[in-house]
Amino acid sequence: MGVETSAAWQALQLHCDSGMGAMHLSSLFGEANRVDRFSLELDELYIDFSKNRITEETLSLLQALAEQQGLKHEIERLLVGEEVNDTEERPALHSALRAQGQDVSGVAEQVQGDVEAVLQKMTQMVDKIRAGHWRGYSGKPITDVVNIGVGGSDLGPLMITHSLQTVHSPVNLHFISSIDGTQTSNLLRGLNQETTLFILASKSFTTIDTLSNAETAKDWLRECIKSDDVIHAQHFIGVSTKPDKMTEWGIPPENQLLFWDWVGGRYSLWSAIGFPIALKIGMPGFRELLQGAHLMDQHFATAPLSENIPVVLGLIDIWNINFLNIHDKAILPYDARLKYLPSYLEQLVMESNGKSVAKSGDSVAYKTCPVLWGEVGPNAQHAFYQLLHQGTQAVMCDFIAPVERDDFDATSHAEKDESLRHQHELALANCFAQSRVLMLGDGAIPDNLKSSFDSPFKHYPGNQPSNTILMKTISAKTLGMLVAMYEHKTYVEGVMWGINSFDQWGVELGKLIAKETYSAIKEKTLAERFDSSTKALIDRVAK
Ligand code: F6P
């Protein structure tokens, strides 16, 4: 019997049916100090979850569900390194990667030596490249570093380095991921073989997307460099859990950075997969990122359920999804530096919880992961917010913004700084206005303007729930906290649904069939046993 038949679930259903389900968000704001009671703060992160259709009773019923599901115990099992990923028979120890020896026990403690050894090796390599001492084949210092990876071996470093774009870096960083080769050929056209270094990042070292891009990069280097040994020694660094495969590909051991199978791909930015981040901000900066995440880990481990940020946010998602029937989630950062956060969270959330079979092996009888997407908020306002405001879809939103900007002098009255401050305030005003209108709908229209909204086409139903997450600034530390918060929230939801958030069997079949299809494109007769649609598509390519 699934969680949906349990007493705690049924109590929530009753709570929903007897009023909360039909309640409009705007009616909840009559309560005094609502925001004080429905917000949490940790160091430089502030989370306002008051714009959700919840009361204190809702939260205590959700907490009862969490207790019934053994959430506290499951949090402990995750953090000490028990085998929470049961289909792959391994722990999920991303939190151990950022502990830097502090506050860990169990397997998480045992791996600290290995983790630190890789951090030390990263330090040597990062310092060498940033100081201009890593030389290309002709003796010139490296100026451009290209990360070749996909999924977790791309999105984390891409998202964090883009978010920290205002930090000066002595090398230019580039990312290529897509199998079609367009990114690779466009990028290589503008680079110089003498001064370009590639990072071949792949947990499994079998991903065809990454290996095919790496082969193209190697062929490009071969246009200038006769010896493959020189190419491998001076122009490639490998990051993987598979040293043998890296060696077989040609990468010498001294250029290899290792991580371990207990680091999930989408949880790997804290491992050597974060090498591009360290190149961008230096190793002290990378350690600040780890420290920020560790702060959130400690909070997750020790805060009571009712004050535990990832727990509360995860439980509110459960309420929205399973009781209020809201199955879409939009991630809306109000700072263009966070452009890749929605893509990053798409993988983290949907690859982790996009599942319909519980750990028991039974199909679940309730909804699990929402469809999650997003875009930089101000741009999205001019694209899909129409649907948020007037569509038929209920959507829960996360608004995310930095309170301060540190990339210009906010106290200076120089014209450029004045106008950037003005723009920052405009962005925040838009962020707060949107969450308010999505909550209140027509109720947000000022009295003196009501008559000009007297039309069915200008009706705003509101009642779209949202969280607002404010970071003091966008820094390595706050990004570490933010990402760890989302990781743990994802785990909390997985525990509530009784699913394994750490495997990804859903993507495996597609990979296998792509191989078979590739053979059929090369050898058309092999397509004979395919369906008529796929056969016709292959025929078109052949013609
Ligand atoms: O597409 C599935 C996936 O396995 C992701 O989980 C992973 O992040 C990505 O592929 C890349 O895998 P790898 O790092 O092994 O190349």
Side-chain angles (χ1 to χ4, degrees):
M1 289 222 289
V3 61
E4 78 286 1
T5 60
S6 67
W9 188 282
Q10 292 301 324
L12 277 158
Q13 191 61 60
L14 185 67
H15 176 63
C16 177
D17 295 343
S18 50
M20 284 306 290
M23 189 171 279
H24 196 283
L25 253 176
S26 55
S27 65
L28 293 168
F29 273 79
E31 302 167 32
N33 306 330
R34 178 171 170 84
V35 73
D36 297 340
R37 288 180 293 120
F38 296 101
S39 59
L40 287 168
E41 192 161 6
L42 177 67
D43 203 87
E44 298 185 7
L45 275 196
Y46 169 76
I47 292 104
D48 171 2
F49 49 90
S50 64
K51 294 188 184 83
N52 279 284
R53 275 148 69 189
I54 52 170
T55 60
E56 257 135 8
E57 188 185 356
T58 322
L59 285 185
S60 70
L61 289 169
L62 284 165
Q63 204 178 307
L65 180 72
E67 272 155 18
Q68 175 196 275
Q69 295 302 99
L71 180 61
K72 272 192 199 142
H73 178 60
E74 293 301 326
I75 292 174
E76 202 180 308
R77 288 186 66 230
L78 171 79
L79 298 177
V80 299
E82 284 191 30
E83 199 179 283
V84 288
N85 180 356
D86 32 21
T87 63
E88 295 181 305
E89 300 178 341
R90 51 175 88 138
L93 268 174
H94 38 284
S95 55
L97 295 170
R98 51 225 189 185
Q100 301 186 74
Q102 315 153 83
D103 322 299
V104 273
S105 57
V107 186
E109 186 176 14
Q110 290 159 26
V111 299
Q112 289 304 301
D114 290 346
V115 170
E116 185 54 37
V118 172
L119 285 170
Q120 294 294 342
K121 185 164 179 185
M122 279 173 73
T123 306
Q124 284 168 12
M125 292 163 85
V126 164
D127 289 352
K128 189 170 170 187
I129 295 167
R130 283 171 60 91
H133 297 153
W134 186 300
R135 305 289 166 131
Y137 73 94
S138 65
K140 291 189 181 161
I142 293 301
T143 56
D144 291 84
V145 179
V146 183
N147 190 76
I148 307 177
V150 71
S153 302
D154 168 67
L155 286 166
L158 172 67
M159 183 269 288
I160 299 282
T161 53
H162 194 84
S163 300
L164 297 174
Q165 60 189 258
T166 55
V167 179
H168 170 74
S169 169
V171 286
N172 304 312
L173 284 168
H174 314 271
F175 291 84
I176 50 184
S177 55
S178 176
I179 200 169
D180 60 80
T182 308
Q183 282 175 322
T184 314
S185 61
N186 284 347
L187 178 66
L188 296 185
R189 229 173 277 136
L191 294 180
N192 178 351
Q193 283 94 338
E194 289 178 284
T195 54
T196 301
L197 173 70
F198 293 92
I199 304 168
L200 211 176
S202 175
K203 178 179 171 181
S204 60
F205 222 80
T206 56
T207 305
I208 184 75
D209 315 49
T210 300
L211 294 177
S212 59
N213 275 321
E215 284 303 330
T216 301
K218 201 193 277 193
D219 285 343
W220 176 74
L221 290 167
R222 282 177 179 141
E223 289 170 12
C224 301
I225 311 171
K226 296 287 156 285
S227 154
D228 272 9
D229 288 346
V230 172
I231 288 178
H232 296 139
Q234 288 172 258
H235 293 272
F236 272 99
I237 287 172
V239 184
S240 181
T241 60
K242 305 285 185 208
D244 297 352
K245 288 201 165 85
M246 287 196 275
T247 304
E248 205 180 300
W249 198 86
I251 296 172
E254 58 276 19
N255 288 10
Q256 296 178 9
L257 287 165
L258 293 183
F259 63 113
W260 307 272
D261 67 357
W262 43 260
V263 182
R266 52 194 174 276
Y267 298 86
S268 63
L269 74 85
W270 324 100
S271 72
I273 287 291
F275 192 71
I277 304 171
L279 278 179
K280 170 80 187 158
I281 61 176
M283 275 313 275
F286 188 68
R287 285 185 183 271
E288 274 172 37
L289 176 83
L290 301 182
Q291 187 59 29
H294 180 65
L295 205 62
M296 185 57 73
D297 293 337
Q298 274 307 98
H299 168 80
F300 188 50
T302 57
L305 295 183
S306 60
E307 291 162 29
N308 194 310
I309 294 170
V311 170
V312 170
L313 292 181
L315 292 177
I316 292 175
D317 266 12
I318 299 290
W319 171 247
N320 286 334
I321 295 163
N322 297 110
F323 299 94
L324 300 183
N325 288 318
I326 303 173
H327 307 302
D328 292 85
K329 174 131 199 159
I331 302 294
L332 307 165
Y334 272 71
D335 190 307
R337 288 173 289 176
L338 299 174
K339 174 179 162 59
Y340 292 107
L341 182 66
S343 323
Y344 174 81
L345 292 179
E346 280 166 16
Q347 187 197 13
L348 174 66
V349 174
M350 296 198 282
E351 197 167 70
S352 296
N353 285 344
K355 293 164 190 171
S356 53
V357 175
K359 282 190 164 196
S360 60
D362 298 324
S363 293
V364 298
Y366 40 84
K367 292 277 186 195
T368 59
C369 188
V371 173
L372 181 145
W373 88 104
E375 176 56 86
V376 173
N379 288 353
Q381 283 178 214
H382 303 281
F384 61 73
Y385 271 46
Q386 168 63 36
L387 176 143
L388 302 183
H389 287 294
Q390 292 187 319
T392 51
Q393 213 81 358
V395 183
M396 46 188 167
C397 303
D398 278 2
F399 291 90
I400 304 157
V403 177
E404 294 166 20
R405 290 199 64 136
D406 52 359
D407 54 329
F408 62 89
D409 185 352
T411 56
S412 136
H413 293 290
E415 262 171 47
K416 178 182 103 345
D417 293 326
E418 279 286 6
S419 60
L420 285 174
R421 180 167 54 230
H422 171 64
Q423 285 199 262
H424 177 55
E425 287 164 358
L426 272 178
L428 290 178
N430 271 275
C431 176
F432 304 159
Q434 291 297 330
S435 65
R436 183 163 170 259
V437 174
L438 284 170
M439 168 180 71
L440 297 175
D442 294 335
I445 303 170
D447 285 345
N448 60 336
L449 296 179
K450 281 219 157 73
S451 58
S452 60
F453 283 85
D454 187 17
S455 151
F457 304 108
K458 295 182 182 176
H459 167 54
Y460 300 82
N463 213 21
Q464 301 275 39
S466 67
N467 301 309
T468 300
I469 298 158
L470 296 181
M471 311 156 79
K472 186 168 181 284
T473 56
I474 295 180
S475 66
K477 177 182 166 187
T478 56
L479 287 166
M481 294 180 74
L482 182 77
V483 175
M485 177 193 88
Y486 274 111
E487 285 179 346
H488 292 322
K489 170 180 174 288
T490 303
Y491 178 65
V492 167
E493 292 171 31
V495 170
M496 291 299 108
W497 290 319
I499 57 179
N500 177 358
S501 299
F502 299 111
D503 57 13
Q504 57 283 316
W505 298 108
V507 296
E508 297 304 330
L509 180 62
K511 287 188 193 175
L512 195 83
I513 302 299
K515 269 192 200 154
E516 192 192 6
T517 313
Y518 178 68
S519 307
I521 287 176
K522 291 292 199 197
E523 179 53 70
K524 236 186 71 192
T525 52
L526 295 175
E528 282 315 308
R529 64 189 195 82
F530 290 179
D531 59 276
S532 59
S533 163
T534 311
K535 226 161 43 188
L537 294 171
I538 290 173
D539 272 353
R540 281 193 169 256
V541 173
K543 276 181 200 143

